[in-house]
Amino acid sequence: MTAPDPRRLLIPVDDSVTVRNTVAYAVAQAQAIRGESDTPVELHFVVVPGTRAVDPDAPEELGAATDLLARVSVWTDEDLGDDPDPGLTVTTDVVGADRYLFSPGNYADVLLEYAEEHGIDRAILDPEYNPGGAAPMLRPLEIELARNGLDIEEAPVEREARPT
């Protein structure tokens, strides 16, 4: 088995308490890779919307997903600073909107298809990633992704302290 290509990173995002810190961690990882070599680095932030299929031509149905990706873009701009490295690119996308997704395997299939399409074999997961919004699915999703050859790293971020 060949080593994963660290130049392309997949970061699935969902509206969670740790998403902001996960974005910052992914940017820091990309900057570290750039610091070690002149190889271009691509960060691919993707949202897999809810469990029901939506019409991709109806933007109002994808409102929450596109709003989240807009926030991700702002955060990556902040984290990259005033003089961003031209060798580091950020891509945002909504994936799987045309499908009915109900299990970690379905979500994994969508993410794996995107990864294969873009030559990605490494993913950074938010520890609170839960795109279905119901049952926690990070562990089963990690297993499904790893079982299919994607190198998985959970972002080492902590939850924000909330006052009681």
Side-chain angles (χ1 to χ4, degrees):
M1 181 176 208
T2 60
D5 182 5
R7 296 174 298 162
R8 293 180 193 93
L9 306 174
L10 176 65
I11 308 94
V13 292
D14 191 30
D15 204 5
S16 73
V17 297
T18 52
V19 67
R20 172 64 181 106
N21 293 334
T22 299
V23 170
Y25 176 77
V27 170
Q29 288 294 103
Q31 289 172 322
I33 293 167
R34 283 290 297 157
E36 295 169 2
S37 73
D38 275 346
T39 305
V41 178
E42 301 171 9
L43 292 173
H44 293 259
F45 293 95
V46 298
V47 172
V48 183
T51 56
R52 62 184 183 90
V54 297
D55 180 0
D57 296 324
E60 66 278 358
E61 291 190 29
L62 296 175
T66 54
D67 288 348
L68 176 58
L69 290 175
R71 285 187 283 153
V72 166
S73 291
V74 168
W75 295 333
T76 56
D77 289 346
E78 286 175 4
D79 294 338
L80 291 170
D82 293 332
D83 189 23
D85 183 338
L88 199 155
T89 58
V90 176
T91 301
T92 59
D93 202 358
V94 176
V95 297
D98 59 341
R99 300 182 192 180
Y100 178 74
L101 307 171
F102 59 90
S103 72
N106 294 138
Y107 285 92
D109 289 345
V110 168
L111 295 170
L112 289 165
E113 285 172 19
Y114 182 90
E116 185 176 331
E117 199 174 289
H118 293 87
I120 300 169
D121 54 10
R122 181 176 173 202
I124 296 175
L125 296 179
D126 178 344
E128 296 293 318
Y129 182 67
N130 187 13
M137 73 166 55
L138 182 61
R139 190 68 189 134
L141 181 67
E142 276 185 289
I143 291 168
E144 289 292 329
L145 292 173
R147 187 176 291 156
N148 288 287
L150 202 58
D151 183 31
I152 306 299
E153 176 184 2
E154 186 175 313
V157 298
E158 295 182 19
R159 288 182 167 179
E160 295 177 13
R162 293 185 181 205
T164 56

